Every structure is written in C-alpha cells, then in structure tokens.
Amino acid sequence: MATALTCFVALVAAGCTGDDRDGFRPGAADAGDPYVPGRGNGGYDVTHYGLDVRYDPSTDRLTGQAVITATATQDLSRFNLDLVGLDVGTVRVGDAPADHRRSDAELVVTPRDGLSRGRQFTVTVGYTGVPTAVEGGSLGSGGFLHTADGAVALGQPDSAATWFPVNDHPSDKASYDLAVTVPDGLAALSNGVPGPKSSADGWTTWRWSERAPMASYLSTLVIGDYRVVTDTHAGRPMVTAVAASLPANGGAASSLARTGEIVDFLASRFGPYPFDSYGGIVIADDRVGYALETQSRPVYGPAFFADDRPNASVVAHELAHQWFGDSVSLARWGDIWLNEGFASYAEWLWEEHDGGRTAQRNFELQYAKTDWSQPSVEPGPDLMFGTAVYKRGALAVHALRRTVGDDTFFRILRTWTAERAGGNATTADLVALAERVAGRQLRPLFDAWLVGGSAPTLP
Ligand SMILES: [Zn+2]
C-alpha cells in the first residue's frame, strides 16, 4: 500500500517510470544525512567489498574491479553506488550484464530483473581512470591524493568513492578484501590482516582483509616508499609503516612503536580491542594535515611529528577511535561527538597514565575556556570537526564519570563497546545505555553538558 502511494506521488511529482511496476522501486540516491548530501544510498545493505585494484604512480592511473555483495532491503528496480570520477566499463548483477549510467558522483545500476526484498546479490563493476582528490572539506584534503612516490586515499566524512564504487555512508558497514597491485619496490598498505604477496612482470600484489564490519570512510590505501614493520601483538598481526623520507628513528617511528602499549592501556579501560590486527601509517605528504582512525591501522599526517618530536597523544586518540567510531560507529554525522568526544577523552586518560596531567586537571582547564554556545550534538556540517565536538564532548564524558563514579563509568563504556560492537549507534542510544547501567536518570546531565547554552554546574 505504501509502495503504491509512493509511486502515485512520484508519478505526479516527477513521473513514474516503467521500473516502478509491480512495487519494485529505485533505491534512494542518498542516505538522507544532511551532513553529506548525495552520499550513501538506499534500497540495499552491503555485506562485503572484494576489491582488486592496480595503480601505476607514473601515470596516476587506477584500474579496478569491485565485487560487492549486498542484500536488497526493498523490492529494488534499480540502485545507486557512489563513485567520483573514473570510467565504468562493465557492470554485472549476478552473472547478467546490467544497464548503468553515471550522474555526477553516482553510478546508477539497473539489473535485468528486479531484486526482491531480502535477496542477496553481487554487483561487479569494472572501472578505470585517474582518481581525484576531495578538496575543500572541513577536515582538509582527502580522497585519492597522488603523492611524490605513490598515492594516499583517505578522508572524512567521505573518501572511498574516489577509488571504488561504494555505498559511501557509515550506516552501511561491510567487510573488505583488497588486492592492490603496484610496481615492485613500492609498499601498498591498507586495513586489516595482511595476506600473501605475489610478484609478476615487475608488479607486486599486496593483499589485505578486514573481517570486522567497516564504515567506508575508514578504508584507506597508502602506496609508496615506506619502511614497513610486520610484527605480532597479543597474537595478532601488527603492521606499522613510516614514509621512507621521514627519519628512521625519529619522532614518528618512536610514537608509532608505542601502538601496542597504548592499545593495551586503552583495552584496560574500554574493553577488549575490537579488531584482528593492529598498526599505523605515518605519511609524509603535508597536504594531509590530520590523522584519521582508518580501521585497525590509523594514518597520521606528518604535522603531528613536526621537528621530529614524538607524539603519543595523537596515537592514543586514533587508537581510541578503534572502539569509539570504528567498532561502534555513528549512524548519522550529526552524532560525530560520539567519536571525537571519547577519542579526545582518551587523550586525557593516556596523558594521566603516561605521567602527565590528570584527566581531572585537563577537564578543569578545558571547562574554563569552553564556549557553551556551540553544541556537541548536531554541530552543523561546518563545525563537525569543531571544538564543541572534540573538547566539549570530552567534558561531557568526564562529567558522566564524576557523576556516576569510576566503577559505573567504566562499566558503561565497556558495556557500550561490547553491546554495540560492529554496529551503529546514536546519542540517544548512549544515554539509554548509560541510564540502564547506572540505574539512574542521566538525560539531563547529557543535555546540559552536550547541548545546553550555558556552563553546566560542576559535578
Ligand atoms: Zn578523532
């Protein structure tokens, strides 16, 4: 009934096309998230990306094949994938060729037959071209950046669509297998567990597998001249890499070398580490002025280790995101404080543990200089990386700790990371869980510390 009405309304508004027959409708062309208009899609849920890409730094040309496994969440006549630039060759749904067309950053796929709700299907996309950067984002340069020695693909809130067709919104998480072929001598790094490498005709294929559900913006690809260290930590692979142009034993390398120690400390507070590999990558390209919590293997821009200074704090921040943001992901970007408030708070926890200022002292200093007119929740797209998201968010976390006491506070965090592992959640979910674990009303506390327009009373 709803379907027929939707079709009727669509008919009146914009014309009901032939593929609306029999209740089969096109999937939505975006995820409906006002922070990233056009990004993400509806009508299906991706469970796996199988990516096979080849990149030649001498021509900046990338050739790829994506095999995407998804389940239709409605009776689906056609659906969109996000893809920025790049030329699409063939598209198949299952074994059958599918019609496809491009519209801006969308790849619109019409399968030969409609896909019934609940049906699992694969879509295979062959593509090639010179990938593009994403400029002008509030975080800075991202997307696919051609570097002096290779390339770096990363970015937030979106980046993945610059190098593979994807449902580019964190609400649709999936596992990944990546094979990336680059000229011999270059490293090709990504998320997850390393697989076997193979070489032929001057090219080497590196393989990576991320089994835990991953939001697309947490995928990364780093190609270039790197000092790669492959080790194990707590029985799982640990892969770290520092750009060869940076000092071999400098601040970046020494900070990255603390990854295992910092992860273990955070696990003692947040609960078991959520992924089956560890690591980190320090790049040398200073267009990337940020670090990003790419899943299991954060990428750090060179500015964090300027003048060759060590910086364990940024490592603690990005590793804390493995629990807060990567394992437990936001459902809408308006809740980004759920990522950044906890990661910022983790910096305070780490600093105290490492012999610096206490979390309480950092809280007091931050409280005194906070602009309470800016909310942590729904900060607006222009301020999604603003102080209110990071620092005011951290204040709210510490205020919760002061209010409920250490035992209950850390039980709330561990319950959250356990119950929500691998999924998506909202601020309302966190408040409800905290109230359940603490056995008391906490909504007024969260409201005051996250969105209230004046300085809250100190707990
Ligand atoms: Zn962060």
Side-chain angles (χ1 to χ4, degrees):
M1 196 57 199
T3 298
L5 185 62
T6 302
C7 186
F8 175 73
V9 171
L11 177 65
V12 171
C16 214
T17 59
D19 51 22
D20 295 293
R21 282 172 306 194
D22 307 326
F24 281 74
R25 295 174 291 121
D30 79 9
D33 186 335
Y35 286 69
V36 284
R39 291 304 190 195
N41 305 284
Y44 63 92
D45 178 53
V46 177
T47 50
H48 184 72
Y49 293 91
L51 306 174
D52 190 343
V53 304
R54 181 185 184 94
Y55 179 70
D56 186 349
S58 72
T59 60
D60 195 18
R61 195 163 187 87
L62 181 141
T63 300
Q65 177 175 271
V67 180
I68 301 165
T69 307
T71 301
T73 56
Q74 65 177 63
D75 287 341
L76 199 56
S77 59
R78 67 168 192 263
F79 59 89
N80 286 25
L81 290 160
D82 301 302
L83 184 65
V84 176
L86 302 169
D87 299 316
V88 172
T90 57
V91 177
R92 293 196 311 274
V93 173
D95 296 328
D99 287 340
H100 58 94
R101 63 179 169 83
R102 298 297 295 279
S103 172
D104 296 327
E106 305 281 329
L107 169 63
V108 184
V109 178
T110 306
R112 182 179 290 172
D113 301 309
L115 300 162
S116 301
R117 180 179 178 177
R119 178 164 156 205
Q120 190 179 80
F121 62 98
T122 60
V123 51
T124 304
V125 181
Y127 58 99
T128 188
V130 175
T132 53
V134 176
E135 302 291 355
S138 42
L139 191 61
S141 295
F144 196 98
L145 300 168
H146 188 192
T147 62
D149 57 339
V152 174
L154 84 165
Q156 188 183 15
D158 48 52
S159 58
T162 61
W163 64 283
F164 62 92
V166 56
N167 192 15
D168 206 359
H169 191 273
S171 55
D172 189 0
K173 299 167 72 168
S175 59
Y176 285 69
D177 282 292
L178 171 67
V180 53
T181 303
V182 295
D184 284 348
L186 294 183
L189 305 156
S190 186
N191 315 85
V193 173
K197 264 186 283 184
S198 53
S199 293
D201 305 323
W203 294 78
T204 300
T205 301
W206 297 61
R207 293 180 178 83
W208 300 95
S209 177
E210 178 52 63
R211 292 283 159 205
M214 178 165 78
S216 52
Y217 81 96
L218 297 171
S219 66
T220 190
L221 177 58
V222 176
I223 296 168
D225 191 6
Y226 283 81
R227 281 187 295 272
V228 181
V229 177
T230 303
D231 207 339
T232 58
H233 178 78
R236 299 170 222 191
M238 161 90 81
V239 181
T240 58
V242 177
S245 60
L246 297 173
N249 297 300
S254 66
S255 304
L256 214 52
R258 299 187 77 179
T259 293
E261 172 196 0
I262 294 171
V263 136
D264 289 349
F265 165 72
L266 296 174
S268 75
R269 299 297 187 272
F270 301 156
Y273 178 74
F275 303 123
D276 53 10
S277 68
Y278 303 94
I281 305 167
V282 183
I283 61 176
D285 194 305
D286 55 21
R287 285 175 296 174
V288 177
Y290 53 91
L292 189 61
E293 60 270 23
T294 43
Q295 190 155 310
S296 76
R297 198 151 295 122
V299 172
Y300 305 91
F304 291 97
F305 312 99
D307 303 322
D308 210 24
R309 277 196 304 269
N311 184 346
S313 185
V314 68
V315 177
H317 180 106
E318 304 309 331
L319 293 177
H321 274 307
Q322 304 306 310
W323 287 263
F324 297 97
D326 293 15
S327 177
V328 185
S329 298
L330 46 75
R332 287 287 179 268
W333 285 108
D335 276 328
I336 187 173
W337 88 272
L338 287 173
N339 298 6
E340 302 304 343
F342 283 97
S344 300
Y345 189 63
E347 293 180 49
W348 296 356
L349 293 175
W350 170 256
E351 185 178 347
E352 178 172 330
H353 174 76
D354 205 30
R357 252 184 222 146
T358 62
Q360 174 64 24
R361 185 65 189 137
N362 267 314
F363 169 81
E364 290 161 359
L365 293 169
Q366 186 59 46
Y367 180 88
K369 62 184 179 191
T370 291
D371 171 5
W372 301 98
S373 72
Q374 300 294 331
S376 304
V377 186
E378 295 295 351
D382 293 339
L383 291 176
M384 64 184 287
F385 300 107
T387 307
V389 167
Y390 287 71
K391 302 297 187 184
R392 186 174 177 176
L395 289 174
V397 173
H398 192 71
L400 172 66
R401 180 178 175 182
R402 297 278 303 172
T403 301
V404 300
D406 278 14
D407 285 356
T408 301
F409 171 73
F410 286 108
R411 199 160 70 244
I412 289 169
L413 299 197
R414 285 193 294 267
T415 306
W416 178 249
T417 60
E419 289 189 3
R420 296 286 177 165
N424 297 87
T426 65
T427 300
D429 293 330
L430 176 69
V431 174
L433 180 137
E435 290 187 331
R436 171 161 61 81
V437 173
R440 58 188 282 190
Q441 193 185 42
L442 292 166
R443 172 78 191 265
L445 177 89
F446 279 104
D447 281 349
W449 285 86
L450 292 171
V451 300
S454 56
T457 309
L458 285 167

